[in-house]
Amino acid sequence: MAFSSSSLVTTSTTLHILPTTDPPYNLLQNHPSLTLLSKCKNIENLKQVQSQIIKTGLHNTQFALSKLVDFCAINPSGDLSYALLLFNTIEEPNPIIWNTIIRGYSLSSLPIVAIEFYVKMLSLGIKPNSYTFPFVLKSCAKLGMTHEGKQVHGHVLKLGLESDVYVHTSLINMYAQNGEMDNARLVFDKSSFRDAVSFTALITGYISAGSLDDARLLFDEIPHRDVVSWNAMIAGYTQSGRFEEALVFFQEMRRTKVKPDESTLLSVLSACAHSGSLELGNWVRSWIEDHGICSNLRLVNALIDMYSKCGDLDTARGLFDGIESKDMISWNVMIGGYTHMSCYKEALALFRQMQQSNHEPNDVTFLNILPSCAHLGALDLGKWIHAYIGKNFHNLANTSLWTSLIGMYTKCGDLHAAEQVFEGMNPKTSSSWNAMMAGLAMHGRADRVLELFSKMVVDGVKPDEITFVCVLSACSHAGLVDLGRKYFSSMTKDYNVYPKLQHYGCMIDLLARAGRFDEAQALIKNMDIKPDGAIWGSLLGACRIHGNVELAEYVSKQLFELEPENAGPYVLLSNIYAGAGRWDDVATIRTMLNDKRIIKVPGSTSIEVDSVVHEFLVSDKTHPQSVEIYKMLNEIDRLLEAFGHVPDTSEVFYDIDEEGKEGILCQHSEKLAIAFGLISTKPGTTIRIVKNLRVCGNCHSATKLISKIFGREIVARDRNRFHHFKDGSCSCMDYW
């Protein structure tokens, strides 16, 4: 869109001269019909006032018409289309009315119309003023129209308005928002004055451009800093993930006695949430209470988010329950807080409560609740969410939500549904490719992962760090040592992706589980990163598989130092000793656990039946259907014995007799969940369970046989991967 500069070269004969028919200003300002405008709450009220204005003849005055247009164009209760109808009835609108209609469109979703009105204004010879340009420049900024913005800048210079504070600041904003920081700085440097507003405009531009340090240098030059300039820097640090610096900046602001406003507090609470600064978050809450703004819902929601992410869920829930009129954000931050702190059952319960309220979930709600569905294996609820999205969000462009659906389906054991969502995505993001490959890797579908990797590359999507974690994990689950080596080498050589802990972890796990301990140890020694607990843990797990006691003792020492409160390495080493018949060493480990008061994470298994998630612990008898469950469990054990199944008791506590050991094995949480599934679902349907720990060898062999005896496919997710049991065999091929 080009502007005619000649339209600015005007004389008094070419300008529209307005009739001087308006009564004195003081009479108009206090006219009863016009004072009614301040009481208008919607467009219907305005039309009633307009009728009064027409009856009194005030509709012939520019003043009254400007007030009507102002309400329709600017007021949140107005109607921009009605403002345009009013504007078109005015024979010769004065500059105030032109500016009002331009301002209205600049604030709307159609800022291009504001620019079109500006062009029309010029073509009619009406001279823009210092109130016109801020809104025209704002529209250019919103639309990214730098070329047109430069033309407007030329008009500003011709009219000698570059020294006007609002025009000057708008020019800086326009250039800064369009990424033209050199021009923004040039406008700033040429100015004869520099107030906090113009400084802040330039600072905001630097922050948007990612030049936070340049913004800080400029901030230090401000002679008199106001709350807006402080807010810009605090928000900049927070949005850039530099949370500690944001909080240090806020502390400095407090020392300078600048009073924080809502924007300050929102940024600070966000920084507290991400950095875990509960102490400062408590101070902010006290400040809010002391200043009597506890009813500010935005701040209360931010407090809920802060307390949730800092781990104080009780305080967060107390604030949430105290809100009389909860908005969508209130529900989302509380559900998200539960999910963030791995309180998945609580997240699902609150989502159910939300469904019973008058609030309809949105895409943020689903992004917060889908991880809980995935973790608990709540497939029915996940399917309901998918159907809800399909029905109510036809044109949803939130690729994160579709990616989250892929993750939910794969973690709930429904690969077919996950692939349907994935294939339906267009375009596919790197995150969606990664989610699909990660899910397939968990299910042991290495062939499909490698197929997708090749297709991803062909489609022009560049593999990233997460992609190679998926590929190497797939190779590890399938025992594909040579292919794993190939992709590990290729990631750096062909894709410039350098290995991190997770990549090394996958390779070490792959080599160690294949019994190649020398190669695994050599890789650990050659790593340029210090190995973490996960790497040592995978090596210890491989020692259990291959009975490598000597290496297990060395690896355990590393884990005891790294994770002294983690019971896992102690239990695993105890099991390795038990497998080797070294019962005195088993006793020593058990004594260490007791002396250090380290509590082993109890094994639990969940199963969803009729959209309700049921959770079982070992020997659990708390379920309402416990009698029926144990009756089925006894039947399972009877049939297992009839089919020749002999429980492996080698890894159960050494000081329990053989009969007692068998009893404990029979009552493992996964067997209780399977028994419940058998009595609660129709014959022939798939049973899906989720266990928080690695499935033990005894339960694995028993479940294979159960799938054959009862003619059921049993899909089990443990801490490491998926197992699809069918017709007496498992998809992992006993390699897990």
Side-chain angles (χ1 to χ4, degrees):
M1 180 182 293
F3 302 136
S4 171
S5 58
S6 62
S7 60
L8 287 172
V9 184
T10 59
T11 65
S12 59
T13 57
T14 58
L15 285 173
H16 284 270
I17 307 299
L18 297 170
T20 56
T21 56
D22 281 14
Y25 174 76
N26 61 331
L27 294 178
L28 287 173
Q29 187 181 29
N30 298 315
H31 194 284
S33 296
L34 292 179
T35 56
L36 288 172
L37 278 172
S38 62
K39 299 177 182 178
C40 287
K41 294 184 178 179
N42 52 53
I43 199 67
E44 295 305 318
N45 292 160
L46 176 110
K47 289 179 180 179
Q48 292 173 347
V49 174
Q50 185 184 5
S51 298
Q52 289 292 325
I53 289 173
I54 292 171
K55 286 180 182 178
T56 59
L58 283 175
H59 65 290
N60 292 317
T61 67
Q62 294 272 328
F63 183 83
L65 291 170
S66 69
K67 292 296 181 183
L68 289 170
V69 172
D70 185 274
F71 177 89
C72 295
I74 310 301
N75 194 294
S77 302
D79 184 335
L80 195 51
S81 60
Y82 196 72
L84 184 59
L85 287 174
L86 286 171
F87 180 86
N88 289 332
T89 65
I90 305 171
E91 187 174 346
E92 294 183 2
N94 63 20
I96 294 174
I97 298 174
W98 278 99
N99 289 344
T100 301
I101 203 77
I102 289 172
R103 180 185 178 188
Y105 276 106
S106 74
L107 298 172
S108 75
S109 59
L110 294 170
I112 187 67
V113 180
I115 296 176
E116 290 170 357
F117 265 94
Y118 175 67
V119 173
K120 186 176 180 181
M121 184 181 184
L122 295 179
S123 68
L124 293 173
I126 298 172
K127 190 175 182 180
N129 56 31
S130 58
Y131 295 101
T132 313
F133 288 114
F135 304 117
V136 176
L137 290 166
K138 183 182 185 73
S139 299
C140 291
K142 286 175 74 173
L143 294 164
M145 297 173 69
T146 309
H147 177 71
E148 288 77 3
K150 289 178 179 178
Q151 287 183 289
V152 175
H153 189 178
H155 297 175
V156 168
L157 295 173
K158 286 182 180 180
L159 290 170
L161 295 174
E162 67 273 15
S163 60
D164 180 272
V165 60
Y166 297 109
V167 175
H168 172 253
T169 304
S170 298
L171 280 168
I172 295 172
N173 270 324
M174 184 274 296
Y175 282 122
Q177 287 185 41
N178 287 339
E180 298 251 346
M181 289 310 302
D182 290 341
N183 283 328
R185 187 66 196 239
L186 192 62
V187 172
F188 177 82
D189 289 340
K190 283 188 174 182
S191 172
S192 57
F193 65 92
R194 296 180 182 182
D195 63 354
V197 177
S198 55
F199 267 103
T200 304
L202 192 57
I203 286 169
T204 304
Y206 278 125
I207 292 170
S208 298
S211 303
L212 197 53
D213 294 333
D214 288 335
R216 174 60 195 268
L217 291 172
L218 192 62
F219 176 85
D220 291 338
E221 294 180 27
I222 302 177
H224 302 289
R225 298 163 189 153
D226 60 7
V227 66
V228 179
S229 54
W230 282 99
N231 285 351
M233 287 304 304
I234 294 170
Y237 280 122
T238 301
Q239 291 160 12
S240 301
R242 293 163 65 171
F243 306 115
E244 296 296 340
E245 290 171 272
L247 298 181
V248 168
F249 223 77
F250 175 63
Q251 300 285 27
E252 180 63 26
M253 177 183 175
R254 288 172 57 195
R255 283 191 286 272
T256 61
K257 307 297 183 183
V258 176
K259 184 179 178 181
D261 61 11
E262 180 185 296
S263 296
T264 321
L265 299 174
L266 289 172
S267 292
V268 171
L269 286 171
S270 177
C272 288
H274 286 91
S275 63
S277 303
L278 185 57
E279 184 178 351
L280 184 56
N282 281 327
W283 181 91
V284 173
R285 183 186 179 184
S286 297
W287 194 94
I288 290 170
E289 291 172 347
D290 292 344
H291 287 77
I293 51 176
C294 301
S295 59
N296 185 317
L297 188 55
R298 292 184 70 194
L299 290 176
V300 175
N301 288 338
L303 282 169
I304 293 169
D305 184 56
M306 183 276 295
Y307 279 115
S308 297
K309 288 178 178 170
C310 288
D312 190 349
L313 287 170
D314 289 340
T315 301
R317 185 58 187 263
L319 287 167
F320 174 81
D321 289 338
I323 301 173
E324 289 186 11
S325 300
K326 300 174 179 67
D327 64 2
M328 181 57 64
I329 296 173
S330 308
W331 290 97
N332 286 345
V333 294
M334 194 66 246
I335 292 171
Y338 279 131
T339 300
H340 180 77
M341 295 305 298
S342 303
C343 295
Y344 304 112
K345 287 183 287 186
E346 290 82 356
L348 286 187
L350 189 60
F351 178 70
R352 298 287 192 198
Q353 187 179 327
M354 179 185 177
Q355 288 179 291
Q356 294 165 6
S357 73
N358 294 323
H359 288 89
E360 290 293 326
N362 60 15
D363 54 341
V364 177
T365 315
F366 295 136
L367 282 171
N368 284 331
I369 201 63
L370 280 170
S372 294
C373 296
H375 183 86
L376 295 171
L379 181 59
D380 289 346
L381 178 57
K383 286 181 176 178
W384 179 88
I385 290 172
H386 188 185
Y388 186 95
I389 292 168
K391 181 179 178 181
N392 296 281
F393 301 109
H394 302 292
N395 300 314
L396 183 65
N398 190 334
T399 55
S400 296
L401 186 52
W402 296 114
T403 302
S404 191
L405 275 170
I406 293 170
M408 181 277 297
Y409 276 124
T410 59
K411 289 174 183 175
C412 287
D414 194 338
L415 275 180
H416 178 69
E419 294 224 46
Q420 281 186 317
V421 175
F422 175 72
E423 293 300 336
M425 287 185 69
N426 187 24
K428 295 176 178 66
T429 63
S430 59
S431 296
S432 59
W433 284 96
N434 291 342
M436 193 66 245
M437 285 191 281
L440 288 163
M442 284 177 63
H443 287 264
R445 292 292 309 279
D447 55 337
R448 181 73 175 127
V449 173
L450 302 183
E451 179 187 329
L452 280 184
F453 177 80
S454 299
K455 193 172 187 304
M456 177 184 186
V457 173
V458 169
D459 286 359
V461 180
K462 186 179 179 182
D464 58 18
E465 294 172 2
I466 299 173
T467 311
F468 282 102
V469 170
C470 299
V471 170
L472 294 174
S473 175
C475 292
S476 177
H477 285 310
L480 304 175
V481 177
D482 292 338
L483 277 174
R485 286 200 196 99
K486 171 191 167 186
Y487 284 105
F488 187 74
S489 172
S490 173
M491 61 185 281
T492 303
K493 185 172 63 176
D494 300 329
Y495 299 99
N496 204 31
V497 176
Y498 291 89
K500 294 190 175 179
L501 275 172
Q502 282 184 293
H503 305 105
Y504 283 117
C506 290
M507 280 304 299
I508 290 162
D509 183 57
L510 171 61
L511 293 168
R513 287 207 293 150
R516 306 191 183 193
F517 290 108
D518 290 341
E519 285 185 64
Q521 288 179 275
L523 186 56
I524 290 175
K525 288 178 182 177
N526 293 326
M527 282 168 52
D528 53 3
I529 314 170
K530 190 175 180 180
D532 64 356
I535 287 178
W536 289 117
S538 65
L539 195 54
L540 186 60
C543 290
R544 182 197 59 78
I545 295 170
H546 295 280
N548 192 331
V549 180
E550 183 180 352
L551 181 58
E553 290 176 326
Y554 169 75
V555 172
S556 296
K557 288 180 182 178
Q558 313 306 313
L559 283 165
F560 295 161
E561 291 179 9
L562 277 173
E563 302 173 350
E565 301 302 317
N566 183 3
Y570 293 92
V571 174
L572 199 50
L573 181 59
S574 172
N575 289 339
I576 292 170
Y577 281 143
R582 292 171 53 173
W583 300 111
D584 289 343
D585 292 319
V586 172
T588 301
I589 295 296
R590 297 294 173 179
T591 302
M592 287 174 63
L593 275 172
N594 292 330
D595 291 345
K596 293 175 180 291
R597 295 183 179 179
I598 300 173
I599 300 173
K600 180 180 180 291
V601 177
S604 67
T605 303
S606 60
I607 178 172
E608 184 189 41
V609 175
D610 296 331
S611 301
V612 178
V613 177
H614 303 259
E615 187 176 25
F616 296 90
L617 301 176
V618 63
S619 304
D620 198 338
K621 294 186 179 179
T622 60
H623 195 278
Q625 294 175 255
S626 185
V627 173
E628 294 91 335
I629 292 169
Y630 275 86
K631 185 177 179 181
M632 173 54 75
L633 194 59
N634 290 334
E635 177 65 8
I636 290 172
D637 291 335
R638 186 187 69 78
L639 291 170
L640 285 173
E641 185 178 356
F643 275 78
H645 175 69
V646 178
D648 177 7
T649 61
S650 62
E651 293 186 0
V652 186
F653 297 136
Y654 77 100
D655 55 352
I656 302 176
D657 60 30
E658 288 302 310
E659 185 178 348
K661 290 179 182 180
E662 288 188 21
I664 288 177
L665 289 172
C666 291
Q667 297 174 16
H668 273 192
S669 61
E670 51 263 63
K671 288 188 72 177
L672 289 169
I674 291 170
F676 177 66
L678 288 170
I679 67 173
S680 305
T681 59
K682 295 178 181 179
T685 57
T686 299
I687 294 174
R688 290 182 168 84
I689 61 172
V690 175
K691 185 170 183 180
N692 66 331
L693 303 176
R694 177 185 176 275
V695 63
C696 72
N698 182 76
C699 286
H700 190 270
S701 60
T703 307
K704 285 195 296 183
L705 198 49
I706 291 169
S707 72
K708 181 178 181 179
I709 294 170
F710 289 90
R712 298 285 199 109
E713 180 177 0
I714 301 172
V715 180
R717 187 184 88 206
D718 69 9
R719 186 176 58 189
N720 299 325
R721 63 166 298 154
F722 268 91
H723 303 264
H724 292 253
F725 300 95
K726 189 175 182 181
D727 298 328
S729 63
C730 179
S731 59
C732 74
M733 305 296 289
D734 297 339
Y735 187 83
W736 86 102

